[in-house]
Amino acid sequence: MRILGIETTCDETATAVVELGPEGRGLILSNEVLSQIEDHAAYGGVVPEIAARAHVDVMDQLVRRALQTAGVTLAELDGIAAAAGPGLIGGVMVGLTTAKALALVAGKPFLAVNHLEAHALSPRLTDGIAFPYLLLLASGGHTQLLVVKGVGDYLRLGTTIDDAIGEAFDKVAKMLGLPYPGGPQVERMARSGNPSRFTLPRPLLGRKEPDFSLSGLKTAVRIEAEKIAPLSEDDVCDLCASFQAAIVDTVIDRTRMAFARLSEMPCPVTALVIAGGVAANQALRSGLERLAAYNALPLIAPPPALCTDNGAMIAWAGLERLSLGLTDGLDFAPRARWPLTVKTDHEERAHV
Ligand code: KG4
Ligand code: ZN
């Protein structure tokens, strides 16, 4: 089974061809990404109208490149998948309409993929792991601790009550004068900083519910920065290191609480997984690796290029859905908002 995947929900235009490989993993035949970061840099964030137009400009070349690199024709595909949301609606329409048109002319099944589901299933593409697994999904717009029990079957243990983790990185970066997207910049500066120079809060530490709250931490960084302004490069490095250390401690504590929840449930997980753009962060990976080892589980983190938005994860989610016969009609509308259909811990218990 071989699928073309198209991703246009934010500021990356991405296409890929993925086929079902050995041991249930995916084989990535091509994975093309064109980032629009430079188009948006001057604005300090993604401008939806610019994003949508930029996707239109490169869409046809990127589809052609994905097929050429993979060495396949449209006729040799088994299905065509696009992220149908959640995301910036203008961009989503570009990818979705392209995929529908290709599916129509080639007479192939069409698959409307939830971008979050694609992140959630990406460790099965890279590592072929079995359900269920505990997933920390951490991107610019989402922060959730989920048990992934199957395709379309998610149990949510915790979420953020304010900022997403990636959003907190981006806002702290902006406040410190670092370019967008902030996550990789903060991580880079943190490498030469002192993580214990500033005393920052670890929000919700020790709370039983594995939820997140990050806006207070972000404000605490601002207060510390204002106290010592103007900032030298060393100050920025120390603030980044102190902020990142607080995030890592918080994530580990919250994930520890999720494990405590799991121990009360009849649901042994096969792995701890981190996915979404923030999963590219090495400090976070090392912290979670220790926590996973403590729980005698592997930590599965897709390689950085498959953590941030990409077409391979869309193709793979399409492949998983097609294997289950879950195809979509060409009238499938783009969705700016599209939460994963999840059960909460509470609902799951009520159901049992
Ligand atoms: O999944 P993604 O590519 O797009 C969304 O769906 O949001 O995630 C992008 C987010 C941004 O907030 C970015 O700052 C963050 O992931 N990010 C990182 C790192 N690389 C990307 N955050 C922390 N450390 C990184 N190395
Ligand atoms: Zn994403």
Side-chain angles (χ1 to χ4, degrees):
M1 195 179 283
R2 194 181 291 139
I3 306 283
L4 170 71
I6 300 179
E7 157 62 36
T8 54
T9 60
C10 193
D11 59 348
E12 251 112 30
T13 321
T15 56
V17 177
V18 172
E19 71 179 25
L20 189 57
E23 294 162 21
R25 309 163 196 234
L27 208 57
I28 300 176
L29 303 184
S30 61
N31 194 20
E32 306 289 329
V33 185
L34 266 184
S35 173
Q36 304 172 0
I37 285 176
E38 282 174 17
D39 299 342
H40 301 284
Y43 306 95
V46 178
V47 183
E49 179 66 22
I50 295 177
R53 285 168 189 273
H55 289 307
V56 173
D57 286 345
V58 298
M59 192 77 248
D60 55 347
Q61 325 165 21
L62 269 198
V63 168
R64 198 174 307 122
R65 256 167 47 188
L67 293 173
Q68 269 169 4
T69 309
V72 298
T73 62
L74 267 185
E76 290 167 323
L77 296 172
D78 296 288
I80 296 171
L88 301 172
I89 197 73
V92 174
M93 284 165 74
V94 176
L96 192 63
T97 311
T98 307
K100 285 177 181 175
L102 291 172
L104 186 65
V105 292
K108 302 289 175 182
F110 164 69
L111 303 132
V113 167
N114 180 313
H115 178 93
L116 301 176
E117 177 158 72
H119 276 304
L121 297 175
S122 56
R124 287 171 51 82
L125 157 69
T126 54
D127 294 79
I129 58 170
F131 298 120
Y133 47 87
L134 176 62
L135 168 74
L136 172 67
L137 177 57
S139 71
H142 300 273
T143 298
Q144 301 190 345
L145 275 160
L146 302 167
V147 183
V148 180
K149 300 167 93 181
V151 175
D153 189 4
Y154 305 97
L155 170 65
R156 189 172 64 216
L157 302 178
T159 186
T160 179
I161 52 182
D162 41 56
D163 292 347
I165 302 180
E167 187 182 0
F169 269 95
D170 294 338
K171 287 180 175 170
V172 163
K174 195 168 183 178
M175 172 195 305
L176 299 177
L178 300 171
Y180 179 86
Q185 302 291 337
V186 170
E187 180 171 25
R188 188 173 55 83
M189 300 302 274
R191 256 180 236 130
S192 30
N194 172 2
S196 40
R197 173 162 162 207
F198 299 97
T199 310
L200 297 173
R202 269 67 173 154
L204 304 185
L205 201 78
R207 289 275 184 92
K208 208 163 162 247
E209 299 294 331
D211 289 321
F212 294 80
S213 167
L214 300 170
S215 76
L217 171 58
K218 177 190 68 192
T219 308
V221 175
R222 175 176 310 116
I223 292 170
E224 294 298 333
E226 281 168 2
K227 274 193 217 157
I228 56 165
L231 302 177
S232 68
E233 185 162 327
D234 282 351
D235 293 334
V236 172
C237 290
D238 293 345
L239 280 164
C240 287
S242 303
F243 165 74
Q244 187 173 270
I247 289 275
V248 172
D249 286 352
T250 304
V251 169
I252 288 174
D253 177 70
R254 309 290 66 219
T255 311
R256 210 163 45 80
M257 289 304 170
F259 272 120
R261 274 293 150 97
L262 282 179
S263 67
E264 299 164 15
M265 285 184 223
C267 186
V269 291
T270 59
L272 171 62
V273 171
I274 175 165
V278 178
N281 188 286
Q282 288 301 332
L284 199 53
R285 285 179 181 230
S286 318
L288 287 174
E289 209 153 318
R290 284 193 296 276
L291 180 65
Y294 180 78
N295 287 279
L297 290 172
L299 174 75
I300 308 287
L306 295 177
C307 286
T308 47
D309 292 348
N310 64 88
M313 69 177 188
I314 305 297
W316 175 258
L319 193 150
E320 293 243 34
R321 295 183 67 80
L322 185 60
S323 321
L324 298 170
L326 300 171
T327 60
D328 296 284
L330 295 181
D331 57 350
F332 196 100
R335 300 180 180 180
R337 294 178 56 78
W338 186 4
L340 280 179
T341 27
V342 289
K343 277 188 253 158
T344 61
D345 187 4
H346 194 70
E347 284 162 350
E348 174 95 350
R349 284 160 194 245
H351 189 67
V352 174

